[in-house]
Amino acid sequence: MKLSAKSHYAMHAMLHLASYLNDGPQPLRRIISAGQPREYTEQLLGALRRSGLIDSVRGTKGGYLLARKPEEITVAQIIESVEGPLTLSHCVLNEDHCENSESCTLKSTWEHLTRGIEEVLGTVTLKDMLNNPALIPQKKVIH
Amino acid sequence: MKLSAKSHYAMHAMLHLASYLNDGPQPLRRIISAGQPREYTEQLLGALRRSGLIDSVRGTKGGYLLARKPEEITVAQIIESVEGPLTLSHCVLNEDHCENSESCTLKSTWEHLTRGIEEVLGTVTLKDMLNNPALIPQKKVIH
DNA sequence: TTCAATCCTGAGTTTAACAGTCGGGATTGG
DNA sequence: CCAATCCCGACTGTTAAACTCAGGATTGAA
């Protein structure tokens, strides 16, 4: 139940892009913070681009920028881009894996919990994080 | 954001113990299902016992049993026993890790999200899962 | 038109956690 | 005493994460 370094790097990068929204494309060099491996982060930005969360500009003066407004980008989207689909169990994805019926009381439980978590992560946007100091506003009824 | 096999095995075992609540201690042999490695599961049951979720009885006719009522055991507790503390980021645990202030707008976000997820996993009990077929009842306001 | 700054990509390598195995010891009912 | 059980630490194998590297493609500017 921990997130990998990927998510941290990706979140940090996205937060940076959100902060420098009006300063043109941000080159990788400016996106990474101290101790953050350059080439590795580059790969993650590739994933974020392929997911449509950011755009890239090549060449001198190139760099990365948000493809949408900060309020339209959620933590869930960022994490899913780099970590893959957000699901607690392969059981939820692979139908055939759970044949032994009784054992898969679990299945419906995982599905339910996954939905819950998706909802938690889906309700915090980059904009919320920028307005952050007074934490993130949120009041939500989960079913 | 995926759970490891540990959680699956542990959940399965706990579900079994909840099912055979009145049949005395359940030996490992009866707890594991097809394809579930015996010795590995044994380790996990050790963790569950050390967390106080189950008790064990040694010797012939020995086995494992729930230490509390099914409605008092949550998915969060089970997962935490075997996977360690439920937190998205080491940042939340290690104070010193996040010195660069701006970077750790992230910190309060992780804390907030972790609380949300804890709440999701903490509201489903073994009892809920037994009553399962009609999914898990739940209506909760998260802050 | 050349050059340097950038993004882009795929193929490595290293590392650490997960997953599983093994051997033997301790406890206890029959 | 013996067999069934839990208990525990050490070991091994496997896999995914976390990097590294080498080189190619694009583009603004000197």
Side-chain angles (χ1 to χ4, degrees):
Chain A
M1 269 315 285
K2 285 211 178 34
L3 290 177
S4 62
K6 286 185 210 176
S7 297
H8 290 266
Y9 295 155
M11 286 284 280
H12 184 85
M14 292 299 280
L15 208 47
H16 177 94
L17 294 184
S19 305
Y20 294 85
L21 201 50
N22 305 314
D23 297 5
Q26 295 293 305
L28 183 54
R29 154 179 61 86
R30 296 193 51 199
I31 291 176
I32 59 180
S33 60
Q36 194 167 350
R38 189 182 189 290
E39 293 86 353
Y40 192 42
T41 305
E42 200 170 3
Q43 292 179 1
L44 302 179
L45 288 167
L48 290 166
R49 180 178 49 78
R50 283 186 291 276
S51 301
L53 297 184
I54 63 178
D55 288 327
S56 61
V57 180
R58 304 173 91 170
T60 311
K61 299 279 182 182
Y64 299 90
L65 32 79
L66 294 187
R68 312 176 198 166
K69 284 176 280 186
E71 60 265 37
E72 292 172 346
I73 299 179
T74 69
V75 174
Q77 290 166 345
I78 297 171
I79 292 179
E80 285 193 311
S81 315
V82 294
E83 306 260 2
L86 186 54
T87 170
L88 292 180
S89 167
H90 33 85
C91 194
V92 176
L93 287 181
N94 299 355
E95 291 300 329
D96 49 2
H97 184 263
C98 293
E99 297 304 339
N100 45 349
S101 54
E102 67 151 20
S103 147
C104 272
T105 298
L106 285 178
K107 177 164 175 167
S108 58
T109 305
W110 291 139
E111 284 172 349
H112 177 262
L113 294 174
T114 298
R115 276 196 301 276
I117 291 176
E118 258 167 7
E119 204 148 322
V120 169
L121 299 184
T123 43
V124 176
T125 68
L126 283 180
K127 186 181 181 189
D128 294 327
M129 297 180 64
L130 288 182
N131 298 346
N132 141 67
L135 282 188
I136 300 101
Q138 202 175 2
K139 189 157 288 185
K140 185 87 188 186
V141 177
I142 61 176
H143 163 249
Chain B
M1 274 309 290
K2 284 210 178 35
L3 292 177
S4 62
K6 286 185 210 177
S7 297
H8 290 266
Y9 295 156
M11 286 284 281
H12 184 84
M14 293 298 280
L15 210 45
H16 177 92
L17 294 184
S19 305
Y20 293 85
L21 201 49
N22 306 314
D23 298 4
Q26 294 293 307
L28 184 52
R29 155 178 59 86
R30 295 191 53 197
I31 291 176
I32 58 180
S33 61
Q36 195 168 348
R38 189 183 188 287
E39 293 86 354
Y40 193 42
T41 306
E42 200 171 3
Q43 292 180 2
L44 303 179
L45 288 168
L48 290 167
R49 180 178 50 78
R50 284 187 291 278
S51 301
L53 297 185
I54 63 178
D55 289 326
S56 62
V57 180
R58 302 173 92 171
T60 312
K61 298 278 181 183
Y64 300 90
L65 32 79
L66 294 187
R68 312 176 198 165
K69 283 177 281 186
E71 59 266 38
E72 292 171 347
I73 299 177
T74 68
V75 174
Q77 291 167 345
I78 297 171
I79 292 179
E80 285 192 310
S81 314
V82 295
E83 305 260 1
L86 186 54
T87 170
L88 293 180
S89 167
H90 33 85
C91 194
V92 176
L93 287 180
N94 300 356
E95 290 300 330
D96 51 3
H97 184 261
C98 292
E99 299 303 339
N100 44 351
S101 55
E102 67 151 20
S103 146
C104 272
T105 298
L106 283 179
K107 176 165 175 165
S108 57
T109 305
W110 290 138
E111 285 172 349
H112 177 263
L113 294 175
T114 299
R115 275 197 301 278
I117 291 177
E118 257 167 4
E119 205 149 323
V120 169
L121 299 184
T123 42
V124 176
T125 69
L126 283 181
K127 186 181 180 187
D128 294 328
M129 296 179 66
L130 288 182
N131 298 347
N132 142 68
L135 281 187
I136 299 101
Q138 200 174 4
K139 189 158 288 185
K140 186 88 189 185
V141 176
I142 62 177
H143 162 250

